[in-house]
Amino acid sequence: MKSIVYFNGKFLPYEEACIPLATHALHYGTGCFEGIRGYWSVEKKKLSVFKLRQHYERLQKSCTRLLMKLPNNIDELCQITIEVLKRNNYSEDVYIRPLIYKSSEIITAFNLRKLDDGFAIYTTPLGRYLNASKGIKAITSSWQRVSEKMIPPWAKPTGLYLNTALAKTEAEDKGFDEAILLNTDGSVSEGSAENIFLVRGRKLITPSSTQNILLGITRATIIELAKKEFNIETEERKIDKKELFEADEMFVTGTGAEVTPLTQINGHKINGGNIGRVTKDLQTYYFSIVRAKNNKYSHWLTKV
Ligand code: PMP
């Protein structure tokens, strides 16, 4: 991967940013991260980052919970990120990955307070993560979502993503695109790396913050746009698994996943297997914003 990264205070070529074998985070998943997207505008020949500050605000909260200390304040982290992007001189869509991790080279210590923190940002070109134009087929996973009493799922901890990987692997092994994870009581939590929305009539329904979800930045964006631009309310609550089969439309949201229609669940077709009107409208509006074609929400974009 040829790029310039930010690694423990320095801008370096990717291959020079090496992590020693004994690094605590590598063995025990003691890290947390963000996933941010930069969109290249073909017309304006400009790269813009979507909700950059909000991602660092979430990282800051995660760090407080996981007893990690970011090396810089949020303004500085935003500036460093823009500098990394400038140095890479992209002219395509990119993904930005800030990572904070327990860097101590030690095998025994588990007291988070006693471990050092490392911090890095790397970036990579990234097109579509899921098939947003066609819609995806999902299964309800046999893996349950990790409860917030085990690991705080809202903090995006690196270790939690083994749960994601197991669920995603199972889904793809069975010939599906995505996994929807349920909580221990069988209620709906979220996709492997996305939040889920059900459409019932002119209403959105999504699992509430108590349902072991990551409070997605795209989720918040969609709730806001649905209300302001389409006069559609969102109910945030506990969702029973059977409601998945009663929805008029369904879609998943995420920085990577953007707004992706979910047209089949466990072999059951949603909206006859077609993308629904509400999903399409929200998706189109979302893309107009991130692709810098919508002046009303241009304050959500940071130009590189
Ligand atoms: N849930 C999980 C587990 C995720 O990894 C992601 C992707 N970051 C999301 C939801 C969506 O969050 P966001 O919209 O902030 O990317």
Side-chain angles (χ1 to χ4, degrees):
M1 203 181 291
K2 275 234 160 305
S3 66
I4 299 294
V5 304
Y6 185 74
F7 186 63
N8 293 325
K10 292 194 186 109
F11 296 94
L12 295 174
Y14 175 83
E15 53 284 1
E16 287 177 29
C18 297
I19 292 180
L21 186 56
T23 302
H24 199 272
L26 180 63
H27 298 254
Y28 305 119
T30 45
C32 71
F33 65 98
E34 270 305 323
I36 312 172
R37 259 195 195 268
Y39 286 90
W40 175 252
S41 161
V42 179
E43 295 84 13
K44 296 181 181 161
K45 305 243 173 305
K46 270 261 161 224
L47 187 66
S48 310
V49 183
F50 184 61
K51 290 199 166 179
L52 177 61
R53 199 182 168 80
Q54 287 88 334
H55 280 279
Y56 279 116
E57 283 167 358
R58 183 168 69 185
L59 188 64
Q60 177 82 74
K61 264 192 214 142
S62 305
C63 285
T64 305
R65 183 68 194 87
L66 300 173
L67 304 166
M68 297 176 188
K69 194 166 165 8
L70 284 167
N72 301 88
N73 67 32
I74 292 178
D75 284 334
E76 289 164 348
L77 291 169
C78 291
Q79 280 163 19
I80 293 166
T81 305
I82 296 300
E83 183 58 30
V84 174
L85 290 169
K86 277 188 182 152
R87 290 186 187 218
N88 284 290
N89 200 22
Y90 290 113
S91 51
E92 60 193 312
D93 292 349
V94 295
Y95 191 76
I96 304 151
R97 166 55 50 80
L99 170 72
I100 179 160
Y101 63 98
K102 289 296 178 193
S103 59
S104 299
E105 293 165 59
I106 186 160
I107 204 126
T108 50
F110 281 103
N111 184 339
L112 290 167
R113 295 181 200 282
K114 294 184 180 161
L115 298 165
D116 299 329
D117 298 311
F119 179 73
I121 304 171
Y122 90 89
T123 58
T124 182
L126 184 76
R128 305 283 69 76
Y129 171 69
L130 292 173
N131 195 335
S133 52
K134 194 162 149 267
I136 55 161
K137 297 174 182 156
I139 50 162
T140 50
S141 182
S142 65
W143 294 100
Q144 292 174 350
R145 195 40 140 185
V146 172
S147 141
E148 62 189 348
K149 295 206 175 72
M150 303 168 186
I151 299 174
W154 54 264
K156 243 178 138 39
T158 54
L160 188 79
Y161 280 76
L162 188 51
N163 183 238
T164 285
L166 288 165
K168 183 83 174 178
T169 305
E170 179 195 35
E172 291 190 354
D173 282 353
K174 290 184 174 168
F176 292 84
D177 306 302
E178 196 43 89
I180 303 301
L181 288 109
L182 306 177
N183 294 311
T184 42
D185 66 358
S187 58
V188 178
S189 180
E190 60 181 342
S192 71
E194 312 90 29
N195 294 113
I196 184 167
F197 283 83
L198 282 60
V199 184
R200 293 288 306 254
R202 290 287 292 172
K203 190 174 69 184
L204 300 183
I205 311 169
T206 193
S208 54
S209 60
T210 55
Q211 299 304 303
N212 305 317
I213 63 168
L214 177 72
L215 280 171
I217 286 166
T218 323
R219 176 185 181 275
T221 304
I222 288 301
I223 293 173
E224 184 175 341
L225 293 177
K227 173 90 186 105
K228 284 196 183 147
E229 302 303 326
F230 298 94
N231 200 22
I232 296 175
E233 297 290 339
T234 303
E235 248 179 46
E236 295 177 62
R237 63 167 169 84
K238 184 172 183 153
I239 299 176
D240 192 84
K241 177 185 168 184
K242 75 172 184 329
E243 294 184 65
L244 295 175
F245 305 93
E246 298 163 357
D248 298 331
E249 300 175 29
M250 254 191 306
F251 60 90
V252 292
T253 62
T255 298
E258 302 167 307
V259 179
T260 297
L262 206 168
T263 49
Q264 223 188 84
I265 180 90
N266 294 357
H268 168 86
K269 286 186 178 158
I270 316 286
N271 193 38
N274 302 308
I275 301 171
R277 187 74 262 152
V278 173
T279 305
K280 190 74 207 159
D281 285 349
L282 288 166
Q283 187 193 53
T284 305
Y285 205 88
Y286 181 80
F287 279 126
S288 78
I289 295 172
V290 297
R291 296 232 162 264
K293 292 177 181 163
N294 184 316
N295 289 337
K296 189 166 172 190
Y297 293 95
S298 56
H299 56 283
W300 284 348
L301 297 175
T302 307
K303 290 200 179 70
V304 175

